[in-house]
Amino acid sequence: MANRIDIIDKTISKLPFVKVLNTLEQDEFSIKGNVEIDFEKLNKPLSFSFEISEIYPFRHYDSESIKFKNVDLIKYGHVMGDGSICIHTSHNINLKKKLTIDFHSLKNWILKYYISNEDDDNYEHIICNETSFKGCHYSYMFTDVEHTFSKDDFGEVSLFQLENGIYKKEGITNYIIQKFDLKNKTQIECNWSEIYNRSLRTHTGVFYFCENPPAVHGRFAFQNWENLDGYLSEDFINHLQRFEKQNLKKFRGKAFPLFLGYKTIGNDIHWQVIILEIGDFPIKRTPKREGRRKTGDFKYSIKSGKIIWGITNNSSYKYFFGRGAFSKSLTEKKILIIGVGALGSMVAKTLTRCGCKNINVADYDIKKPENICRSEYLFNLGVNDKSEEMVRILTAISPFVEAKVANNDYFQTIIKMLYDKKGIKEQFIRDLNKNDLVIDCTTDDDLMYILDSLDLDCDSINLSITNHSKELVCGFNNNIYSFVKNQFDNVLDNDTKDLYNPTGCWDPTFKASYNDISLLVQMALRHINIVYSDGIRPNNFVIKQDDKFPSNLIIEEY
Amino acid sequence: MSLKKQEYLSNVLSTHRMSHVEELVNKFKAKRDEVKTTLQDKYGSDIYSPFDSGSFKKHTAINIKFDLDIVVPFKRNSFDTLEKMFDDLYEYLEAEFGDVAEVRKQKVSIGLLFKTDDDGDDVNLDVVPGREFNQDQYSEDRKLNLHLRNNTIFTSDSTYIQTNIQEQIEHINGKSDERMVIRLLKIWKHYNNEDFKSFLIELITIKAFKKDDISGNLWEKLEGVMNYIKENVIKEDFKLKDPGNSNNNVMDTLDNAERTNLSNRMETLIDRINNNAQNIKSYFPLNDDFEDEESSSEGYGIKIGSGIASTPPSTERFG
Amino acid sequence: MKIKNHTRKVELNIDENLLEDIASIGIKHYPNEFGGFLIGEYSNNFKNLNITDFILPNSYKGSPYLFERSALGLEEKFENIFKEKGNYYIGEWHTHPSSSTKFSKTDLDAMINIANCETVTIKNPILLILSVSKTTLNHYTFYIYDDKKLTPYE
């Protein structure tokens, strides 16, 4: 069998645009060499060193196990700090083929970023080596604000601490940025949900908007404070100095974040955080002089020292839900979920994870340990009103959902007593129409009848499942009561004998597992989302098992 | 399946009979007569006698939703323009009934929504003004020009529509099978909030009976008509002539998406019901307000809404 | 055999053999009263009733002047008959040993209960009374129930 190094040599030598400059060398872990790349569109050849690691052609974590380097190319796109090129390539397990692919990828990089000097539409974070401070990492999440920062704006930020955790085997303290307090006293709230905005701030930091990234070539974050000289205004440096002085006694040695803001793509801004130590700010003072005489005042400026970069993440709605969300026509709706048992809790949670911004929940019931196995409730929250716990969970998932508890008694007693009383009925209709969508997951026939008879202008959905989770029945806007009742009473074979009786016979419930129910709920919500995003007429539907293959589910619209 | 669809549908029709709401109908008629009288007093020789139209007149009304229409035929020289005629009538009705009713301009008519009375009943009437084309021509052929507001009915941007309402009423006269199917489709439309115009349902049903072999029991007839709708509304050249004016194609009121939707709805309905007869109950519900009033004096009675087995009470004693 | 009731303008059909079967069972219980349930189907226009079968009670009490039957345990049977054939439980039959076929106050009360019972989905149940002796069927009368009254077929 031919030797690996020979195969590599032969394969790349055959490529018309590659010239192997010297004999390949092999050490314990890799094979190294130098190549010159030349093709028609290049004015002069480019040379790269390359290194192929032992695991090649497989990938190493999530990076390629072949590296091409040229430190002179650092100012071009997709080049790392050490001069290595980020090539976009594809999987292949055959050494020869993979080499061919990867060298072509290098050529593509040259075409795209060296010759055409393309800018990507995607923003790439500046590359900074995030390190811990005194054995602890500091992480901050920020979101959009309704404000346009100008160059040299600075001020304080209010921070709210989230949970502590572990990050790369060290401790991590997590925060969100709640508010920016501009020096001229304008307070800028971040677009989090109310609960995150209104919680009392726990920590403070400072921010400085420098407009351009604090980085070499716009990509490699400064490593020394000296690089920031000229970036930060004198005003700001004075402010920092005063701040340190004021807090020195109480907080000496503590970490203190400085957020540097800059524009990325469009109107987006990014905040990159530097961790300062109170008592060790990189500020030097030189006496001010008039002629040769000291005035007694000082001029403050940046002094040399290593920058400790902390962790920041853009957690704005766009990024938070960037990987997938429901259609805007659903997420922007004000949604009321009545009944947050097994079905309702899954609906609430899914809507939240899919970007819905306004969810009220109502349920008179208490969450107990036996509810947890097939709902979205959590053991560690103990016994709670279902609605209260659900709001906590939804809020914990998304910082963009306004989740509130609706009047729990409203749907159990009040509306049932008074729904057909003249004058009061109209009030109910007005109240409910304040929502854009009412989802009834109570499986309460009385309530279903009442909601249907109120003939609401807002959309309404009724969800229920038959025993053993065989079918899911969804009433969607029209003729809900008659449709759902008829499905349960006459059409579907709902087994009402084999129910689960937890305690005595007064509280029987259907039998089904989390897996059974959530499968149906997810499918129903997917369909509902499609109806909204395509703007098609909502029809009642049933999700049922295929007769031949019960694991196949089908949606039958009515 | 044991549910007899035709029996069930006949129950649906009977629970939606107008006779159940006789008192309400009488209120409507009283209001209608009152309005007619005031109109005759006001316009005198400028108009021919107002006449009744609408679903009630056509015997296609259902007791959950029905309207009484009054057509007011104006003479040619009564007003310069149709718009003036329409506005004058509106102003007069507003002045006369504005304190007891909401008076509003609709597409071709003026709506009178009387305030809810002590029984909780809402009476509403539509008054449709029309004008003959030429002096005395109406007495001969009954044709009228109607004023068309915010035209979205027909694709042309006309401000008037020429038709013959008498002819429209005649068109359905004596067609009792058609009427049953029309009423069923209106019941479906009402409960399921379907968007289709009753006039369209009426015309297409009559056309289906004419063009297709619609026969059998009530269900079979309904199914036949639904099939006809399903297959035909998506045909580009499918037309529904207004019996009052063959130049008006009522299919023009639907765009392509609406035609497809109507066809799809029919397909779903037929499929679901044939798949499981019980589904008929949610598409065509009984009017449960009148389920118990069904006691005719002839025939064996079946309790309405049953369609389920009959089982005797557990213990009975005979002497 | 076809008989008519003029009050409700309806007809009733019963196969003579079926009637004989019923009678012979009644005779067996002489001198005590005995009875059971009647099964039938209606014509499309609900003007005609065809009695197709009968069902005997699982438990009953019979004396010369009283008959009490229970329908317990038979629910499924009635449901199946409906599911499979579309036939209804349409009424009751019992014997009057050595007596007329006139109905008693007890009989009428029972029929009122039946018509009002929720599980009974028909409105005009039938009552068949058979006058029997030790060995033979003397005569019989079919009644139709309507609005708290029983009227005979002719």
Side-chain angles (χ1 to χ4, degrees):
Chain A
M1 194 183 115
N3 169 326
R4 183 172 160 97
I5 196 163
D6 291 342
I7 299 175
I8 292 175
D9 199 353
K10 267 188 197 155
T11 311
I12 56 182
S13 299
K14 267 190 217 161
L15 295 168
F17 55 91
V18 181
K19 190 170 150 196
V20 182
L21 291 179
N22 44 10
T23 336
L24 305 188
E25 286 168 32
Q26 174 146 32
D27 66 16
E28 203 181 340
F29 301 110
S30 58
I31 290 166
K32 290 175 184 161
N34 290 293
V35 286
E36 205 174 75
I37 306 291
D38 195 10
F39 53 93
E40 216 173 284
K41 288 185 177 154
L42 270 173
N43 290 333
K44 55 178 182 145
L46 282 175
S47 59
F48 295 88
S49 67
F50 70 90
E51 185 176 350
I52 297 170
S53 81
E54 196 74 340
I55 70 165
Y56 191 80
F58 297 139
R59 277 160 68 94
H60 185 249
Y61 291 94
D62 53 1
S63 59
E64 291 300 323
S65 51
I66 185 167
K67 271 203 171 106
F68 299 99
K69 263 190 205 175
N70 181 340
V71 280
D72 298 332
L73 300 176
I74 210 162
K75 62 178 180 189
Y76 295 98
H78 297 264
V79 184
M80 305 298 287
D82 62 355
S84 58
I85 316 290
C86 289
I87 53 169
H88 294 278
T89 177
S90 52
H91 160 86
N92 202 300
I93 51 155
N94 178 296
L95 180 62
K96 289 183 199 169
K97 286 184 185 160
K98 177 71 173 159
L99 278 166
T100 311
I101 293 170
D102 288 350
F103 273 83
H104 273 97
S105 299
L106 178 66
K107 187 182 169 191
N108 282 338
W109 176 88
I110 295 170
L111 278 168
K112 208 170 168 188
Y113 298 104
Y114 181 78
I115 297 176
S116 306
N117 216 343
E118 271 182 34
D119 266 336
D120 287 349
D121 289 340
N122 293 331
Y123 161 70
E124 267 193 84
H125 288 302
I126 60 171
I127 299 155
C128 51
N129 197 9
E130 293 152 348
T131 44
S132 60
F133 170 82
K134 294 185 177 178
C136 183
H137 289 274
Y138 289 86
S139 153
Y140 303 86
M141 292 184 278
F142 61 89
T143 184
D144 296 336
V145 291
E146 307 294 333
H147 178 83
T148 313
F149 288 98
S150 317
K151 189 168 169 8
D152 300 330
D153 274 351
F154 69 88
E156 289 183 9
V157 291
S158 302
L159 302 169
F160 176 70
Q161 189 174 352
L162 306 172
E163 305 281 326
N164 292 340
I166 302 291
Y167 178 84
K168 296 183 176 168
K169 295 182 180 157
E170 289 185 290
I172 186 167
T173 316
N174 283 294
Y175 302 88
I176 58 163
I177 298 180
Q178 270 185 322
K179 288 192 221 8
F180 295 87
D181 280 297
L182 264 181
K183 185 83 190 325
N184 57 14
K185 299 290 176 217
T186 326
Q187 201 174 64
I188 304 154
E189 278 201 357
C190 297
N191 292 343
W192 306 113
S193 65
E194 210 178 297
I195 189 149
Y196 286 97
N197 266 341
R198 297 276 174 269
S199 300
L200 281 182
R201 75 159 171 204
T202 55
H203 294 77
T204 307
V206 287
F207 74 91
Y208 186 86
F209 190 73
C210 41
E211 204 168 68
N212 293 314
V216 180
H217 301 310
R219 275 187 303 126
F220 307 104
F222 297 147
Q223 302 206 10
N224 197 296
W225 279 100
E226 280 172 336
N227 301 127
L228 279 167
D229 201 18
Y231 262 78
L232 307 174
S233 69
E234 213 176 304
D235 252 8
F236 177 65
I237 295 168
N238 289 340
H239 177 78
L240 260 188
Q241 180 277 132
R242 278 197 301 277
F243 187 90
E244 185 180 32
K245 205 169 153 191
Q246 281 161 14
N247 290 283
L248 197 55
K249 250 191 193 160
K250 230 172 152 184
F251 299 108
R252 182 185 285 277
K254 294 264 192 276
F256 181 75
L258 159 61
F259 298 89
L260 296 179
Y262 56 91
K263 286 186 180 163
T264 59
I265 304 260
N267 287 325
D268 285 4
I269 55 175
H270 189 83
W271 296 97
Q272 192 63 52
V273 69
I274 295 175
I275 308 298
L276 298 168
E277 178 178 345
I278 296 183
D280 193 23
F281 280 14
I283 298 172
K284 62 184 178 197
R285 65 177 196 183
T286 39
K288 282 191 180 166
R289 290 169 191 270
E290 279 177 6
R292 304 186 67 186
R293 193 174 59 82
K294 294 181 183 171
T295 58
D297 285 343
F298 295 94
K299 175 179 161 49
Y300 295 93
S301 58
I302 296 294
K303 70 177 183 190
S304 173
K306 190 176 181 297
I307 295 176
I308 298 176
W309 292 105
I311 304 161
T312 46
N313 279 289
N314 184 345
S315 170
S316 61
Y317 187 90
K318 191 170 84 179
Y319 285 90
F320 196 91
F321 292 107
R323 294 169 189 219
F326 279 154
S327 146
K328 235 179 155 179
S329 46
L330 181 52
T331 56
E332 297 287 330
K333 282 191 162 38
K334 190 171 190 296
I335 300 169
L336 168 66
I337 302 173
I338 314 169
V340 277
L343 255 85
S345 68
M346 289 175 196
V347 170
K349 196 168 157 182
T350 305
L351 291 175
T352 303
R353 280 209 198 279
C354 290
C356 290
K357 293 177 176 170
N358 201 317
I359 298 176
N360 284 359
V361 295
D363 198 312
Y364 66 93
D365 204 8
I366 306 292
K367 165 243 175 175
K368 292 184 173 169
E370 62 261 35
N371 294 123
I372 298 169
C373 77
R374 65 163 190 209
S375 65
E376 300 293 356
Y377 293 102
L378 301 174
F379 177 72
N380 70 343
L381 294 179
V383 171
N384 277 298
D385 281 358
K386 280 182 177 167
S387 53
E388 295 287 346
E389 180 168 331
M390 191 37 60
V391 165
R392 276 180 76 177
I393 292 170
L394 301 184
T395 310
I397 293 171
S398 163
F400 300 107
V401 67
E402 295 297 348
K404 303 231 162 54
V405 174
N407 184 345
N408 290 330
D409 299 322
Y410 193 94
F411 301 102
Q412 276 311 309
T413 48
I414 303 171
I415 204 167
K416 289 189 183 176
M417 277 190 307
L418 302 169
Y419 84 97
D420 57 351
K421 302 272 181 302
K422 216 179 156 183
I424 304 179
K425 180 180 178 178
E426 286 68 33
Q427 185 59 45
F428 284 133
I429 294 175
R430 274 197 297 278
D431 282 354
L432 287 166
N433 276 339
K434 285 177 190 158
N435 301 292
D436 302 309
L437 170 62
V438 175
I439 306 180
D440 175 3
C441 300
T442 58
T443 57
D444 175 343
D445 288 351
D446 302 340
L447 185 64
M448 173 167 70
Y449 171 76
I450 291 169
L451 290 177
D452 202 21
S453 67
L454 290 179
D455 204 10
L456 300 174
D457 290 334
C458 69
D459 286 354
S460 63
I461 289 177
N462 183 292
L463 288 171
S464 50
I465 57 174
T466 55
N467 198 12
H468 304 296
S469 210
K470 276 174 74 181
E471 295 99 357
L472 178 142
V473 178
C474 177
F476 200 171
N477 272 9
N478 303 312
N479 199 18
I480 290 179
Y481 178 74
S482 167
F483 168 72
V484 176
K485 268 305 265 172
N486 192 45
Q487 286 293 322
F488 275 86
D489 292 351
N490 300 316
V491 180
L492 302 175
D493 181 22
N494 186 29
D495 173 6
T496 51
K497 286 182 189 113
D498 182 28
L499 289 170
Y500 177 63
N501 289 297
T503 42
C505 63
W506 53 272
D507 195 19
T509 178
F510 60 90
K511 289 181 176 173
S513 74
Y514 181 86
N515 175 254
D516 296 329
I517 305 168
S518 65
L519 180 66
L520 293 174
V521 168
Q522 295 302 337
M523 191 155 167
L525 288 173
R526 182 172 181 272
H527 180 70
I528 289 165
N529 180 49
I530 291 170
V531 168
Y532 280 120
S533 69
D534 293 359
I536 47 182
R537 183 184 195 273
N539 289 321
N540 299 325
F541 65 90
V542 172
I543 301 178
K544 51 165 66 162
Q545 299 169 354
D546 186 80
D547 291 339
K548 272 195 197 149
F549 307 102
S551 287
N552 290 357
L553 298 178
I554 39 176
I555 293 185
E556 218 170 52
E557 273 199 281
Y558 278 80
Chain B
M1 268 322 287
S2 47
L3 177 82
K4 289 191 172 142
K5 293 188 281 270
Q6 65 276 20
E7 284 166 26
Y8 174 79
L9 287 177
S10 107
N11 282 337
V12 170
L13 284 179
S14 59
T15 59
H16 285 92
R17 276 205 312 256
M18 295 304 290
S19 58
H20 295 298
V21 289
E22 214 176 324
E23 273 181 46
L24 180 62
V25 169
N26 287 337
K27 283 182 198 171
F28 268 77
K29 285 181 175 164
K31 284 285 180 215
R32 179 191 66 192
D33 293 343
E34 185 188 337
V35 172
K36 265 195 204 166
T37 315
T38 47
L39 287 175
Q40 266 162 329
D41 291 350
K42 157 83 179 164
Y43 290 108
S45 61
D46 276 348
I47 58 172
Y48 299 99
S49 333
F51 64 92
D52 303 334
S53 174
S55 63
F56 194 75
K57 178 74 186 172
K58 294 175 180 172
H59 300 285
T60 57
I62 48 178
N63 59 21
I64 35 175
K65 167 123 192 14
F66 61 96
D67 45 40
L68 262 60
D69 294 358
I70 305 166
V71 182
V72 192
F74 280 88
K75 293 187 178 166
R76 179 63 186 88
N77 51 15
S78 56
F79 289 100
D80 294 346
T81 66
L82 291 169
E83 191 173 5
K84 279 184 185 160
M85 163 193 79
F86 192 89
D87 290 345
D88 190 83
L89 180 64
Y90 168 76
E91 274 156 34
Y92 173 67
L93 289 171
E94 172 63 43
E96 198 69 11
F97 297 99
D99 53 338
V100 290
E102 186 195 324
V103 182
R104 61 178 191 201
K105 293 182 178 181
Q106 299 166 167
K107 272 198 196 99
V108 292
S109 63
I110 293 151
L112 294 175
L113 278 79
F114 290 91
K115 288 176 185 160
T116 311
D117 68 11
D118 292 342
D119 304 331
D121 287 336
D122 300 302
V123 172
N124 49 69
L125 301 174
D126 288 345
V127 184
V128 188
R131 194 183 63 175
E132 61 182 352
F133 320 149
N134 302 308
Q135 191 78 39
D136 300 330
Q137 150 268 323
Y138 173 78
S139 354
E140 282 166 26
D141 64 9
R142 300 296 177 114
K143 285 183 184 168
L144 289 170
N145 275 328
L146 307 184
H147 175 59
L148 190 55
R149 290 179 69 247
N150 309 327
N151 178 13
T152 51
I153 300 183
F154 291 97
T155 40
S156 69
D157 47 9
S158 173
T159 57
Y160 70 96
I161 173 175
Q162 193 188 100
T163 191
N164 183 333
I165 297 172
Q166 294 284 7
E167 204 64 56
Q168 291 177 353
I169 300 169
E170 286 297 315
H171 186 61
I172 195 168
N173 211 358
K175 298 193 166 73
S176 58
D177 279 351
E178 285 89 332
R179 277 206 291 262
M180 278 199 273
V181 173
I182 291 167
R183 288 179 65 223
L184 285 170
L185 289 174
K186 282 170 78 171
I187 288 165
W188 163 74
K189 164 182 136 84
H190 175 84
Y191 287 100
N192 297 278
N193 297 332
E194 303 288 349
D195 254 350
F196 313 106
K197 293 240 169 309
S198 294
F199 189 44
L200 183 119
I201 290 176
E202 209 174 288
L203 295 181
I204 205 165
T205 304
I206 293 170
K207 186 161 183 178
F209 272 88
K210 214 183 275 172
K211 299 275 172 183
D212 244 10
D213 176 28
I214 308 287
S215 57
N217 63 38
L218 183 53
W219 159 247
E220 286 158 354
K221 284 176 191 145
L222 173 65
E223 189 186 19
V225 171
M226 291 197 297
N227 254 319
Y228 179 82
I229 298 175
K230 176 190 118 186
E231 274 158 25
N232 287 286
V233 291
I234 41 174
K235 290 182 187 161
E236 225 165 276
D237 58 349
F238 182 72
K239 286 199 171 100
L240 279 178
K241 279 183 200 163
D242 171 4
N245 178 353
S246 57
N247 291 325
N248 297 337
N249 177 8
V250 179
M251 277 309 283
D252 287 349
T253 59
L254 297 184
D255 63 26
N256 279 343
E258 288 165 325
R259 285 172 177 227
T260 310
N261 180 37
L262 176 56
S263 173
N264 289 344
R265 295 301 291 148
M266 289 296 129
E267 184 172 4
T268 310
L269 236 83
I270 298 165
D271 284 356
R272 296 292 169 262
I273 294 170
N274 282 331
N275 196 352
N276 185 332
Q278 298 286 349
N279 281 324
I280 205 169
K281 293 178 180 172
S282 57
Y283 289 119
F284 303 92
L286 296 159
N287 183 353
D288 46 19
D289 286 350
F290 305 110
E291 272 185 56
D292 299 331
E293 287 181 23
E294 290 306 299
S295 69
S296 85
S297 56
E298 284 181 24
Y300 292 104
I302 291 283
K303 290 179 189 169
I304 276 173
S306 49
I308 48 168
S310 183
T311 47
S314 62
T315 312
E316 281 309 337
R317 179 180 287 196
F318 298 87
Chain C
M1 188 187 62
K2 188 178 271 186
I3 50 178
K4 282 184 180 171
N5 176 285
H6 297 294
T7 339
R8 288 198 64 83
K9 301 198 173 67
V10 288
E11 289 183 343
L12 185 150
N13 289 318
I14 185 163
D15 188 70
E16 310 227 352
N17 293 329
L18 183 65
L19 191 62
E20 268 178 42
D21 288 349
I22 295 173
S24 69
I25 291 169
I27 291 165
K28 273 186 199 151
H29 288 80
Y30 186 87
N32 291 334
E33 286 196 16
F34 185 68
F37 310 95
L38 294 171
I39 303 299
E41 63 185 356
Y42 298 107
S43 63
N44 279 349
N45 59 6
F46 287 87
K47 290 284 168 75
N48 206 302
L49 167 62
N50 189 21
I51 295 183
T52 53
D53 205 351
F54 65 93
I55 289 176
L56 299 181
N58 282 345
S59 66
Y60 63 91
K61 287 178 208 158
S63 74
Y65 302 109
L66 203 68
F67 170 68
E68 187 183 282
R69 99 291 182 278
S70 162
L72 288 179
L74 293 172
E75 295 89 333
E76 221 178 289
K77 204 164 187 176
F78 289 109
E79 272 168 31
N80 285 340
I81 285 171
F82 184 74
K83 267 187 203 160
E84 284 156 23
K85 297 182 196 155
N87 283 6
Y88 291 93
Y89 152 75
I90 54 94
E92 305 265 345
W93 66 272
H94 68 279
T95 56
H96 283 178
S98 305
S99 173
S100 80
T101 60
K102 271 166 84 178
F103 62 86
S104 67
K105 172 83 169 58
T106 319
D107 294 340
L108 178 61
D109 288 345
M111 293 309 285
I112 293 175
N113 282 342
I114 288 167
N116 289 337
C117 175
E118 260 192 34
T119 63
V120 178
T121 54
I122 55 160
K123 284 183 174 175
N124 305 105
I126 303 301
L127 176 65
L128 164 63
I129 298 176
L130 305 114
S131 161
V132 292
S133 66
K134 196 174 177 178
T135 52
T136 54
L137 170 67
N138 302 329
H139 41 262
Y140 59 88
T141 307
F142 281 94
Y143 297 93
I144 183 168
Y145 172 88
D146 185 24
D147 194 19
K148 299 192 175 114
K149 287 184 220 52
L150 285 168
T151 52
Y153 286 80
E154 291 161 20

